[in-house]
Amino acid sequence: QVKPTEQGQDSLRERGFFNNSGHCAIIERCARPAPREGLHRQNSALAHRMPPMPTTHLLYLHGFRSSPASAKARQMAAHVAQHHPAVTFWCPQLPPSPQAAMAWVAQGIAQWPQGRMAVIGSSLGGFYASWVAHHARCPSVMLNPAVDPARDLARYIGEQTTWQNPEERFFFLPQYIGELQALDLRGQPARAPELAIIAKGDEVLDWREMTTRYPQAELCLLEGGEHALHDFADHLPRITRFLDLV
């Protein structure tokens, strides 16, 4: 399990990332609601809390059995490097434990400037992105996001391999189901603008469940498509406009 160093955890605890037991706590950071053209009316209150500020720090969270070497992660990184070189981009390799994954992310973004970060997540990473966005109060983009991973991943308990490197193995342990349940924020209102890109042709997740999960989000509902979003490059301009990357 990945855990922050003792010194680092003390610093994070002071900022509200961890409680005294060392577990992830609610991240109460300054809001950075940014009005975006096309937001649903449900998000209008979010868009008027403070003037918009461009995003200078972008977090990308990959999905289950995936890695920073995934096609979408590499495309996003290349797009940012070419068109938005001033943006700090981070796509960490997430550990199998959801609690450890969020602890690792919390440590990594602890020193990022308040109000100028955003997060993108794919599949399980979309579920994680909602957790990060809720606590960091930052804009988020969900790509075919997992809605109930505690339910869906129960059948994957045991040894697994990664999509990008089948020789790389890890164990998905039974206790991770409870950790996923602890991160579930369904029913809680969005704290910052959301963009959900969802394919009706997703062969892994139910597009109806995904759209229902994000009633306040700006929705891009694709006819056809697939879970991996092979046309992801076509959506990069919309994502970068939504996040207002510097």
Side-chain angles (χ1 to χ4, degrees):
Q1 177 172 325
V2 179
K3 292 181 71 67
T5 62
E6 183 176 350
Q7 180 180 4
Q9 195 173 91
D10 287 342
S11 174
L12 290 167
R13 187 179 294 112
E14 291 175 359
R15 295 169 62 91
F17 282 84
F18 291 90
N19 56 30
N20 290 331
S21 65
H23 295 134
C24 284
I26 292 178
I27 306 171
E28 293 295 349
R29 304 180 69 184
C30 290
R32 196 272 270 180
R36 305 281 202 279
E37 183 178 355
L39 283 177
H40 290 304
R41 286 181 297 175
Q42 295 96 318
N43 269 342
S44 61
L46 294 171
H48 291 91
R49 289 181 185 170
M50 61 184 296
M53 291 187 288
T55 295
T56 60
H57 289 64
L58 180 60
L59 172 67
Y60 185 100
L61 301 176
H62 64 74
F64 182 65
R65 297 179 59 199
S66 191
S67 74
S70 71
K72 291 193 294 295
R74 288 186 287 107
Q75 285 178 308
M76 193 73 237
H79 183 84
V80 170
Q82 180 178 357
H83 300 285
H84 305 276
V87 170
T88 296
F89 179 83
W90 183 41
C91 178
Q93 176 65 63
L94 300 176
S97 162
Q99 178 184 317
M102 292 301 91
W104 182 244
V105 167
Q107 183 181 23
I109 65 175
Q111 300 303 318
W112 283 14
Q114 294 183 352
R116 305 200 69 174
M117 70 164 282
V119 57
I120 301 173
S122 172
S123 194
L124 178 60
F127 174 83
Y128 288 154
S130 291
W131 187 89
V132 172
H134 180 84
H135 295 308
R137 298 176 181 264
C138 69
S140 57
V141 177
M142 277 65 67
L143 311 171
N144 282 335
V147 173
D148 191 352
R151 175 199 64 199
D152 297 339
L153 296 182
R155 64 181 181 273
Y156 291 98
I157 291 173
E159 187 177 26
Q160 302 293 333
T161 60
T162 61
W163 293 111
Q164 290 77 36
N165 182 8
E167 296 182 358
E168 184 178 336
R169 299 179 178 273
F170 67 94
F171 284 90
F172 189 74
L173 302 178
Q175 58 263 36
Y176 296 165
I177 300 302
E179 293 179 10
L180 287 169
Q181 291 171 337
L183 298 173
D184 196 332
L185 296 174
R186 280 178 292 175
Q188 298 197 36
R191 290 181 167 181
E194 299 173 321
L195 169 63
I197 300 178
I198 296 169
K200 286 186 175 182
D202 192 315
E203 72 282 7
V204 177
L205 301 171
D206 187 338
W207 68 269
R208 301 171 190 82
E209 191 173 47
M210 289 187 276
T211 55
T212 300
R213 165 64 180 86
Y214 294 97
Q216 293 180 290
E218 178 179 323
L219 178 63
C220 177
L221 187 59
L222 308 175
E223 296 293 336
E226 62 290 307
H227 186 66
L229 288 179
H230 292 147
D231 64 345
F232 180 63
D234 296 337
H235 303 288
L236 289 174
R238 179 173 188 168
I239 291 171
T240 54
R241 286 195 304 269
F242 177 81
L243 297 178
D244 193 18
L245 300 183
V246 295

